[in-house]
Amino acid sequence: MKLQIKRAYEKATEDDGIRILVDRIWPRGVSKEKAAIDHWIKDIAPTAELRKWYGHDPEKYQEFRERYCKELDENPHVGELMDIISESHGNVTLVFAAKDEEHSNAKVLLDWLGSKC
């Protein structure tokens, strides 16, 4: 099994396996058909307050990362995500909309799942 991240604006492929949208808001301009989302776990995303504070500012990324990891540590919806991942028999792709992959909530979530927070 491979756990990976991918922008919602990239074409879905068979290699993606189970596709889980990990944003609180549906990606602008992407149809449900094109997104090919199997699960949408809105509540795994950063809180609206944290997301607005961060504003995808790379200079705030380290603090955003720390705050989001703390949110994940206390998030009751993590169990739902973990169940989906553990029940999959192939790849799992965390889908997100942000332009900057390296400074996205999906990257933090991927690292957190790998215990890198």
Side-chain angles (χ1 to χ4, degrees):
M1 181 194 84
K2 180 169 78 171
L3 186 59
Q4 59 195 354
I5 61 175
K6 189 173 189 178
R7 289 192 71 225
Y9 303 99
E10 294 178 50
K11 184 177 180 179
T13 64
E14 282 189 35
D15 189 50
D16 292 345
I18 301 292
R19 291 173 53 89
I20 305 169
L21 181 61
V22 294
D23 283 345
R24 194 167 296 278
I25 300 168
W26 188 267
R28 185 173 294 161
V30 177
S31 69
K32 290 185 179 187
E33 184 176 284
K34 183 180 176 187
I37 299 298
D38 297 298
H39 303 276
W40 183 12
I41 308 176
K42 296 176 189 181
D43 294 320
I44 201 73
T47 59
E49 178 182 79
L50 179 57
R51 183 176 52 81
K52 288 176 184 177
W53 170 83
Y54 175 47
H56 298 283
D57 179 351
E59 291 184 18
K60 294 180 177 178
Y61 180 71
Q62 191 56 44
E63 186 174 348
F64 166 75
R65 181 179 176 80
E66 291 169 13
R67 289 183 183 189
Y68 184 36
C69 286
K70 286 179 185 175
E71 285 186 0
L72 288 168
D73 289 339
E74 300 171 4
N75 189 325
H77 298 279
V78 166
E80 179 183 356
L81 176 62
M82 298 301 286
D83 288 347
I84 293 168
I85 292 170
S86 67
E87 292 170 4
S88 71
H89 298 288
N91 295 340
V92 175
T93 301
L94 305 177
V95 179
F96 66 102
K99 291 178 184 177
D100 184 350
E101 184 173 315
E102 286 302 309
H103 298 103
S104 69
N105 64 296
K107 173 71 169 125
V108 176
L109 179 56
L110 181 68
D111 290 347
W112 185 86
L113 288 167
S115 299
K116 294 181 183 176
C117 278

